[in-house]
């Protein structure tokens, strides 16, 4: 208990030094870290955790606490990577054309406006089996169709956040690869999570999990019900 209080005191001192206008409170609790954080998240707006994993394709390991809270609490979970000296001025958000990623878009647009950052919306699509197998297909028509899907989903958000510069980044690639690559030039990467197990409980979706493993920047995982769609 004594060591825990010492750690909290140091953390509080750092927080007050960097953000003196922010109200800070600390509490020592007993229990498994992931379980305690999940329980406390019910009264929070956002949950922020660190990442002790290596990250990157050379060592795709993420701390167990991060993996056990991301996507499993009712609020956005921010997994913070070690800070770098370079600020990119860009936020990346994953886009898939479905309503389930709308909350992630709401969070990303809000952060982009708050920070004055450019928002890069990454939409990754896969080649149809016939084209991948070498059959003739109009690749350019397919690409244009996917571009339209991305632009249509972004349209209402562009209207709601006119001051945010938006880049629709449409790629023929696996979503995890596309998002992790875009994250290399971003300050924050936002992904949605709407995976469910066979018995209906919330689990971390495969794309969200892959991004958490491989991205080098800070990642926010937003549950499908965490934010409203634009009016």
């Amino acid at each position: 208990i004594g060591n825990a209080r010492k750690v909290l005191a140091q953390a509080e001192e750092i927080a007050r030094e960097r953000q003196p206008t922010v109200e800070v409170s600390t509490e020592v609790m007993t229990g498994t870290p992931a379980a305690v954080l999940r329980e406390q998240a019910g009264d929070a707006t956002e949950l922020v955790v660190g990442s002790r994993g290596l990250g990157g394709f050379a060592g795709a390991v993420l701390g167990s606490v991060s993996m056990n809270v991301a996507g499993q609490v009712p609020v956005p979970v921010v997994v913070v990577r070690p800070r770098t000296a370079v600020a990119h001025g860009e936020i990346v958000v994953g886009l898939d054309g479905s309503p389930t990623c709308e909350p992630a878009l709401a969070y990303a647009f809000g952060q982009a406006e708050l920070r004055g950052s450019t928002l890069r919306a990454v939409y990754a699509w896969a080649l149809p089996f016939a084209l991948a197998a070498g059959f003739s297909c109009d690749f350019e028509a397919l690409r244009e169709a996917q571009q339209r899907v991305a632009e249509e989903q972004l349209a209402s958000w562009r209207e709601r956040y006119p001051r945010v510069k938006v880049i629709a980044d449409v790629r023929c690639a696996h979503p995890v690869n596309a998002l992790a690559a875009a994250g290399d030039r971003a300050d924050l990467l936002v992904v949605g999570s709407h995976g469910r197990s066979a018995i209906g409980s919330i689990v971390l979706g495969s794309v969200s999990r892959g991004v958490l493993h491989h991205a080098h920047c800070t990642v926010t995982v937003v549950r499908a019900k965490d934010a409203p769609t634009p009016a």
Side-chain angles (χ1 to χ4, degrees), residues 29-40 47 49 64-65 68-69:
M29 306 186 74
T30 59
T32 304
V36 170
L37 287 170
R38 287 197 299 265
E39 180 180 346
Q40 295 299 307
L47 176 62
V49 294
S64 60
V65 173
N68 279 288
V69 296

Side-chain angles (χ1 to χ4, degrees), residues 1 24 37 46 50-51 59 63 71 76 84 88 93 97 99 110 175 185 201 203 219:
I1 296 294
V24 180
L37 287 170
E46 199 168 275
S51 170
T84 64
H88 300 280
V93 62
R185 302 181 304 278
S201 61
V203 297
V219 176

